[in-house]
């Protein structure tokens, strides 16, 4: 934890969780409180702090009882043994291990589709699909979705995909993306969805790591006014992966005719197959592969402090129970809801809360292919009205970008269907929270500010709308079964009003089980910093009423528009540029994106800085990672502030980047303190 950032300030006092229940502590801060309306609370699944606390206490005192009762609402082909879960979070006592419902067999696709159809939801709309252009749309009922999933599952089996095999999916937000995920799950294959904004190199890296039987993609996508040729990116990735001795012999390509015609698509005979030519020829029924609750469901790569992305591995049973339950409670889900989450299935939010969580609940989900500001800033509300969306879940960065436009874009639409709003990806600043609440939700819809991570599988700290008075910007209280603790540098739990590092002291069903192929890194990154705990990488403070306030990453991860990017990844992309000798990347505050990427770059001897070089450095990052990771600022650095042992002092770089020059602190331990003045003088270059 040496490289961690300074903690936010805050003082330790007495715990006051009970005071909230009694309502007394709240009186002092009335201005900051948003109390759910009586009407809302009355109909809510959890309608008071007392009810929450009763359920929460039960989940902590008897996790096995609490979760097995919930789990029994799902279909299990065989049930678990005497032990509902077993865990060891303390590496000093042996290998870290988390298991839920082990020995039971089930299938998450069966539970999401067949089970709901058997319960009478066959003709209910599972997915409303809205394309990039206004008039483009489609829909699938649960029964139709199952048929599509089965056809693809049968195709996958016909080309030799078996239980445990990896399948890489590189698709935009077409219905085919959740279809592909569910088809893999149906036959026990492990999907690895790669966000279709990643570059060929990043895609190749993920292919090389998990060695898939095939890649599923589409030829192109329209995003706003742009056409993106995804197939070209995949072609390049496959050349790259072949060089790394992972040749992939099959590329199933969906033709997305509104973006690009077949004829215009580059093709490699023998390897490339059109989805539309083969998949519809397969039967619409496909038997289910029953898998152990602890068999892997998917891999999803995410950024960490070091260069190589980590393959977060989730298993089946616990993830299923957890995503379904968190979805239901955090959004106060009712069967009549129409739910829209703006996240892409390429990220964990799209896995847990576009696909699995809502479908397991038999919900109607909106899947949107396009960009939220196209053709104009009113698109989201147009979609809300068109499908009568009741639950709208998005990221603070989108809220902030829409907030900058005239509120006429919002008020032009009715939005009267909305009843719950949600936020995810980064801390939501109180002014964005208020705009979201007052303008979008007309002060009628509670906001679930859900804190969680790729690793946690589902919500960890989140309001239950209807239960709690809300404080704009606070994720409030832990979900059932989750015991968050705040620890100091030494790993001691701190009580009451305080701030420190956020850890979790127990396992929960949706927790990731390992990093693919690297259990040691799993232990080192998450369980060794504070022995006995899962370390989240986030800072957190708790106020006098017991509310949690997430304060951002304390490690070298930057959160740009809710996308996790490791500073080391950007640095290694920059130094791969032939004219770059060294690079150090830090985060700076950004009005819309939350955080921006600020790169200090040292050039090789004899090369001088130019605008052209700046552009070419940025292009290198775009090509190696993806456009979303492009630095916002390149700062020319003849030298970097280093300790005598050669360690870059990022603390100083962060201050320079944010212009806090009077807070540089002690620079005397630097090998060459002169570099600091030099950097400051070059700030505006
Ligand atoms: C941040 C996204 C504050 C946090 C689900 C976490 C948040 C990282 C919130 C995980 C929130 C996510 N409030 N911070 N409501 N939600 N974060 O893995 O820093 O892409 O560690 O998962 O996003 O990002 P990831």
């Amino acid at each position: 934890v040496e490289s961690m950032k300074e903690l936010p300030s805050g003082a330790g006092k007495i715990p006051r969780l009970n005071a909230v229940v009694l309502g007394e502590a709240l009186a002092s801060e009335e201005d900051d409180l948003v109390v759910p309306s009586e009407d809302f609370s009355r109909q809510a699944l959890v309608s008071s702090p007392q009810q929450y606390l009763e359920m929460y206490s039960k989940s902590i005192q008897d996790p096995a009882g609490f979760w097995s009762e919930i789990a029994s609402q799902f279909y299990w082909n065989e049930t678990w043994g005497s032990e509902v879960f077993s865990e060891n979070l303390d590496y000093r006592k042996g290998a870290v291990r988390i298991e839920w419902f082990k020995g039971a067999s089930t299938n998450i696709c069966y539970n999401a589709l067949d089970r709901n159809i058997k319960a009478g939801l066959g003709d209910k709309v599972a997915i409303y699909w809205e394309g990039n252009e206004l008039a483009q749309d489609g829909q699938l009922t649960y029964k139709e979705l199952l048929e599509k999933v089965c056809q693809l599952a049968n195709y996958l089996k016909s080309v030799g995909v078996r239980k445990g095999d990896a399948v890489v999916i590189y698709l935009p937000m077409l219905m085919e993306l959740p279809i592909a995920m569910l088809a893999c799950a149906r036959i026990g294959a492990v999907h690895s969805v790669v966000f279709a904004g990643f570059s060929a190199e990043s895609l190749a890296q993920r292919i090389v790591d998990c060695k898939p039987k095939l890649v599923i993609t589409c030829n192109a996508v329209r995003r706003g006014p742009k056409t993106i040729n995804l197939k070209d990116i995949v072609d390049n990735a496959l050349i790259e992966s072949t060089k790394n001795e992972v040749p992939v012999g099959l590329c199933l390509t969906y033709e997305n005719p509104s973006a690009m015609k077949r004829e215009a698509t580059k093709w490699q005979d023998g390897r490339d197959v059109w989805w539309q030519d083969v998949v519809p020829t397969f039967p619409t029924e496909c038997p289910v592969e029953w898998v152990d609750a602890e068999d892997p469901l998917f891999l999803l790569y995410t950024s960490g402090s070091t260069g190589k992305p980590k393959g977060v591995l989730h298993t089946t049973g616990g993830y299923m129970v957890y995503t379904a339950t968190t979805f239901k409670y955090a959004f106060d889900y009712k069967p009549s809801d129409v739910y829209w989450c703006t996240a892409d299935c390429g990220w964990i939010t799209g896995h847990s809360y576009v696909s699995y969580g809502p479908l397991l609940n038999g919900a109607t989900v909106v899947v949107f292919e396009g960009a939220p500001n196209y053709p104009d800033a009113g698109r989201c509300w147009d979609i809300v009205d068109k499908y009568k969306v009741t639950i709208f879940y998005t990221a603070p960065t989108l809220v902030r970008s829409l907030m900058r436009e005239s509120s006429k874009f919002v008020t032009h639409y009715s939005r009267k269907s909305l009843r719950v709003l949600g936020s995810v990806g980064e801390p939501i600043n109180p002014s964005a929270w208020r705009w979201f609440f007052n303008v979008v939700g007309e002060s009628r819809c509670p906001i679930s500010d859900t804190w969680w991570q790729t690793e946690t599988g589902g919500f960890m700290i989140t309001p239950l709308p209807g239960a709690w008075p809300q404080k704009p910007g606070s994720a409030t209280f832990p979900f059932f079964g989750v015991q968050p603790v705040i620890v100091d540098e030494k790993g001691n739990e701190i009580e009451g009003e305080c701030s420190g590092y956020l850890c979790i002291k127990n396992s929960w069903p949706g927790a990731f089980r390992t990093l693919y192929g690297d259990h040691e890194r799993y232990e080192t990154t998450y369980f060794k910093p504070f022995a006995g705990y899962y370390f989240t990488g986030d800072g957190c403070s708790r106020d006098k009423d017991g509310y949690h306030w997430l304060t951002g990453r304390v490690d070298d991860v930057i959160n740009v528009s809710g996308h996790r990017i490791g500073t080391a990844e950007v640095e290694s992309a920059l130094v791969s540029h032939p004219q770059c000798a060294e690079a150090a990347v830090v985060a700076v505050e950004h009005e819309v994106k939350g955080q921006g990427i600020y790169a200090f770059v040292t050039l090789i001897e004899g090369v001088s800085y130019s605008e052209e070089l700046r552009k070419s450095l940025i292009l290198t990052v775009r090509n190696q990672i993806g456009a979303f990771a492009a630095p916002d600022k390149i700062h020319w650095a003849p030298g970097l502030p280093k300790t005598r042992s050669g360690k870059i002092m990022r603390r100083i770089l962060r201050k320079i980047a944010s212009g806090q020059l009077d807070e540089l602190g002690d620079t005397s331990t630097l090998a060459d303190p002169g570099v600091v003045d030099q950097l400051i003088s070059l700030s505006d270059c």
Side-chain angles (χ1 to χ4, degrees), residues 356-430:
Y356 292 115
L359 294 176
L360 285 162
N361 280 281
T364 296
V365 181
V366 175
V367 171
F368 176 42
E369 178 197 31
N373 54 1
Y374 176 82
D376 64 36
R379 185 67 187 272
C380 289
W381 324 121
D382 182 52
I383 294 174
V384 164
D385 281 359
K386 177 168 172 185
Y387 299 103
K388 308 269 180 299
V389 171
T390 58
I391 306 171
F392 176 70
Y393 184 38
T394 193
T397 184
L398 179 68
V399 175
R400 286 191 298 264
S401 75
L402 296 178
M403 212 172 126
R404 298 170 110 197
E405 310 282 338
S406 157
S407 59
K408 285 207 188 89
F409 283 112
V410 187
T411 52
H412 178 72
Y413 297 93
S414 139
R415 291 158 290 117
K416 68 173 189 301
S417 55
L418 287 175
R419 58 178 210 97
V420 177
L421 302 174
S423 171
V424 62
E426 52 170 317
I428 179 163
N429 44 309

Side-chain angles (χ1 to χ4, degrees), residues 172-233:
M173 287 296 274
L174 302 170
M175 290 198 265
E176 283 63 27
L177 177 44
I179 289 171
M181 294 163 73
L182 289 161
C184 289
R186 190 164 192 89
I187 60 171
V190 182
H191 60 72
S192 170
V193 181
V194 180
F195 171 58
F198 273 111
S199 67
E201 295 213 20
S202 292
L203 174 58
Q205 198 175 28
R206 286 155 176 76
I207 290 172
V208 169
D209 199 60
C210 76
K211 304 180 182 52
K213 272 266 159 74
L214 80 161
V215 173
I216 304 180
T217 189
C218 79
N219 55 348
V221 63
R222 295 268 303 159
R223 214 174 141 75
K226 285 185 280 193
T227 301
I228 301 150
N229 188 331
L230 293 181
K231 181 67 168 40
D232 271 0
I233 297 173

Side-chain angles (χ1 to χ4, degrees), residues 300 302-303 312 347-349 353 393 396 423-428 448-456 458-459 461 473-475 534 536-539 549-555 557 559 562-564:
L300 185 58
T302 189
S303 297
V312 168
W347 308 108
I348 190 68
T349 306
Y353 301 109
Y393 184 38
S423 171
V424 62
E426 52 170 317
I428 179 163
S448 283
D449 174 7
T450 60
W451 175 82
W452 61 297
Q453 311 177 292
T454 305
E455 293 87 342
T456 69
F459 304 151
I461 300 182
S474 166
Y534 163 70
T536 64
D538 276 328
W549 299 78
L550 277 299
T551 52
R553 301 289 305 194
V554 292
D555 54 9
V557 172
N559 191 327
H563 299 157
R564 260 169 84 165

Side-chain angles (χ1 to χ4, degrees), residues 112 243 273 295 314 440 509 584 631:
K243 277 193 210 146
V273 176
D295 278 338
H314 282 284
V440 175

Side-chain angles (χ1 to χ4, degrees), residues 127-185:
I127 299 179
Y128 282 124
W129 178 77
E130 171 82 2
N132 186 62
E133 308 302 326
L134 281 170
Q136 255 179 335
D137 53 24
Q139 67 178 62
L140 289 176
T141 63
Y142 270 84
K143 229 163 72 197
E144 291 163 343
L145 177 59
L146 176 61
E147 288 173 5
K148 299 245 178 225
V149 166
C150 285
Q151 287 185 315
L152 181 62
N154 282 322
Y155 168 77
L156 292 175
K157 285 207 291 195
S158 80
V159 296
V161 178
R162 298 283 172 264
K163 182 178 166 194
D165 289 342
V167 174
V168 165
I169 303 173
Y170 187 74
L171 281 170
M173 287 296 274
L174 302 170
M175 290 198 265
E176 283 63 27
L177 177 44
I179 289 171
M181 294 163 73
L182 289 161
C184 289

Side-chain angles (χ1 to χ4, degrees), residues 653-665:
L653 293 178
R654 277 185 210 113
K655 297 289 180 200
I656 296 175
S658 59
Q660 294 167 297
L661 302 181
D662 46 350
E663 290 172 32
L664 291 176

